[in-house]
């Protein structure tokens, strides 16, 4: 049955892709037990272009319904790929900050620290402007927790306009201060632990991919393996 052989082959290919992401090795250094390294890379890219990785992540992350708590944060990833500003009109999410050329991963997780959305920018991008994109599907009644980097009137108004509640600590120079619960805020570190777990995958802890869409696909796969499968 050739169809059965093809299915088994796809399983080996997926295992090989995960092995590359976990170890951080070059594609051509992947174990030959999973098949030719060109096959691993080509299918990784082909399935990314078809939306397989992103759709699988989105479907599983949404399976439990809208979360009662959402946590917002970002992390820097050192990039060692050759610097690219544009390629085929696609921004590659590489910026220059004090740490050199790097990428910033913006993420939204549920109260348990399970990721539900990702966004890539250059490492020199501010956190606050990305909040509205990540919170686009925010449900009424949810509580949003983030650190002081997201303490902006525009973010608070956006959250409240969706019928949700912001629980964000106030900056020291803010004159007006509303409600904030330090007790509930203790749970916000779950999103930081999520980043640590994703960075167990060496190709997430360090960016080797030139293209931003390939790097984002690697993040979706790591999130699937670490949290949703």
């Amino acid at each position: 049955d050739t169809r059965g052989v093809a299915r088994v082959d796809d399983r080996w290919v997926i295992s090989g892709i995960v092995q590359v992401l976990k170890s951080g090795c070059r594609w051509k250094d992947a174990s030959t037990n999973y098949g030719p390294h060109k096959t691993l890379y080509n299918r990784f890219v082909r399935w990314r272009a078809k939306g397989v990785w992103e759709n699988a992540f989105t479907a599983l992350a949404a399976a439990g319904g809208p979360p009662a708590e959402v946590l917002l944060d970002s992390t820097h990833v050192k990039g060692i790929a050759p610097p690219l500003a544009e390629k085929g009109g696609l921004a590659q999410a590489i910026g220059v900050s004090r740490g050199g050329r790097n990428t910033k991963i913006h993420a939204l997780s549920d109260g348990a620290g399970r990721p539900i959305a990702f966004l890539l920018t250059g490492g020199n991008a501010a956190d606050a402007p990305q909040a509205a994109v990540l919170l686009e599907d925010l449900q009424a009644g949810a509580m949003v927790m983030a650190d002081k980097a997201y303490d902006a009137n525009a973010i608070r108004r956006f959250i409240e306009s969706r019928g949700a509640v912001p629980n964000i600590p106030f900056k020291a120079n803010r004159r007006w201060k509303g409600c904030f619960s330090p007790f509930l805020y203790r749970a916000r570190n779950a999103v930081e632990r999520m980043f640590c777990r994703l960075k167990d995958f060496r190709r997430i802890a360090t960016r080797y991919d030139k293209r931003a869409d390939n790097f984002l696909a690697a993040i979706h796969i790591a999130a699937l393996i670490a949290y949703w499968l």
Side-chain angles (χ1 to χ4, degrees):
D1 184 357
T2 56
R3 291 177 297 175
V5 173
R7 284 196 295 270
V8 173
D9 181 65
D10 283 348
R11 295 192 189 104
W12 280 107
V13 168
I14 292 173
S15 296
I17 292 171
V18 172
Q19 187 261 340
V20 170
L21 300 185
K22 189 73 173 178
S23 66
C25 70
R26 297 177 298 179
W27 288 98
K28 68 178 184 179
D29 293 332
S31 173
T32 55
N33 292 333
Y34 302 111
H37 69 271
K38 287 187 177 181
T39 300
L40 300 183
Y41 177 75
N42 287 340
R43 294 197 185 182
F44 167 74
V45 173
R46 187 185 308 152
W47 291 341
R48 183 268 305 161
K50 291 183 177 180
V52 172
W53 308 122
E54 182 178 6
N55 292 340
F57 167 76
T58 302
L60 290 178
E69 294 180 352
V70 291
L71 315 178
L72 185 62
D73 205 356
S74 67
T75 187
H76 282 88
V77 173
K78 182 69 175 179
I80 66 171
L84 295 174
E86 295 283 334
K87 183 176 181 181
L90 176 68
Q92 301 307 319
I94 297 177
V96 180
S97 67
R98 286 179 295 178
R101 295 188 181 276
N102 51 46
T103 294
K104 185 178 283 189
I105 305 174
H106 306 264
L108 195 68
S109 76
D110 62 15
R114 297 174 297 185
I116 53 180
F118 292 105
L119 177 66
L120 298 182
T121 66
N124 55 345
D127 289 338
Q130 321 309 324
V133 179
L134 288 171
L135 296 171
E136 184 177 357
D137 297 325
L138 184 63
Q139 300 295 315
M143 175 175 289
V144 180
M145 290 192 283
D147 59 24
K148 290 183 179 180
Y150 299 91
D151 178 26
N153 291 334
I155 295 177
R156 293 180 182 275
R157 285 196 296 266
F158 179 84
I159 294 172
E160 291 169 352
S161 69
R162 299 299 180 98
V165 179
N167 191 47
I168 303 172
F170 298 96
K171 295 178 181 177
N173 61 354
R174 177 182 277 275
R175 293 184 179 180
W176 174 87
K177 296 182 180 181
C179 297
F180 170 70
S181 172
F183 176 78
L184 295 176
Y185 186 73
R186 293 177 185 175
R188 192 203 63 85
N189 64 68
V191 67
E192 296 177 354
R193 298 198 304 270
M194 179 269 292
F195 282 128
C196 290
R197 188 171 178 185
L198 292 183
K199 287 184 177 181
D200 285 341
F201 290 77
R202 295 294 297 273
R203 273 187 167 265
I204 308 303
T206 304
R207 176 176 170 178
Y208 299 100
D209 295 289
K210 296 179 182 179
R211 293 178 59 100
D213 49 8
N214 284 345
F215 183 56
L216 184 59
I219 295 172
H220 286 146
I221 295 172
L224 282 168
I225 299 298
Y227 285 97
W228 295 113
L229 291 180

